[in-house]
């Protein structure tokens, strides 16, 4: 959906006031419930913005880029006709044992 710059704000500032020629980008990150402390979320968002800047050949992220970081409740993922769960990933070796314990504690499993 395309919206006019005077109908959108990032960081409390209308995009129409942010300058000419800015490309607006909204990135929606949805993750399974787990151990998403504030500092971890900040690091993920910073890495996403840095990677996008590199991919676009820019020295730094644009002020017109916005990242939404959403944590989806355990068991709310639907794909391939079934429900996905972070619990099935905990035994897969994707996470270190320390991280797996933190995730279990975070979701009360």
């Amino acid at each position: 959906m395309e919206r006019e710059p005077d109908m959108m704000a990032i960081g409390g500032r209308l995009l129409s006031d942010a300058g000419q020629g800015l490309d607006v980008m909204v990135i929606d990150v949805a993750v399974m419930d787990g151990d998403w402390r504030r500092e971890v979320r900040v690091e993920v968002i910073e890495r996403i913005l840095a990677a996008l800047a590199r991919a676009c050949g820019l020295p730094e992220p644009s002020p017109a880029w916005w990242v939404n970081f959403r944590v989806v409740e355990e068991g709310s993922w639907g794909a391939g006709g079934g429900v996905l769960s972070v619990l099935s990933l905990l035994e897969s070796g994707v996470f270190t044992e320390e991280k797996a314990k933190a995730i279990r504690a975070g979701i009360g499993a």
Side-chain angles (χ1 to χ4, degrees), residues 1 4 16 19 25-26 28 38 54 59 62 66 71-72 74 79 81 92 96-97 100 102 107:
M1 171 187 300
E4 295 299 318
S16 58
M25 187 180 322
V26 178
D28 187 40
R38 182 185 184 285
R54 281 192 307 275
S62 167
W66 187 261
V71 178
V72 178
E74 165 59 23
S92 70
T96 65
E97 188 55 38
I107 62 174

Side-chain angles (χ1 to χ4, degrees), residues 80-101:
V83 175
L84 299 177
S85 170
V86 70
L87 296 175
S88 61
L89 295 175
L90 295 178
E91 306 301 325
S92 70
V94 170
F95 300 107
T96 65
E97 188 55 38
E98 179 181 340
K99 183 67 171 176
K101 285 179 184 176

Side-chain angles (χ1 to χ4, degrees), residues 2 4 6 10 12 16 20-21 24 32-33 37 44 46 48 51 57 62 72-73 76 93-94 97 105:
E2 189 171 326
E4 295 299 318
D6 62 350
I10 293 179
S16 58
Q20 297 294 322
V24 176
M32 289 180 173
D33 195 4
R37 296 177 310 276
V44 169
E46 287 174 347
I48 289 169
S62 167
V72 178
E73 187 176 319
S76 297
V94 170
E97 188 55 38

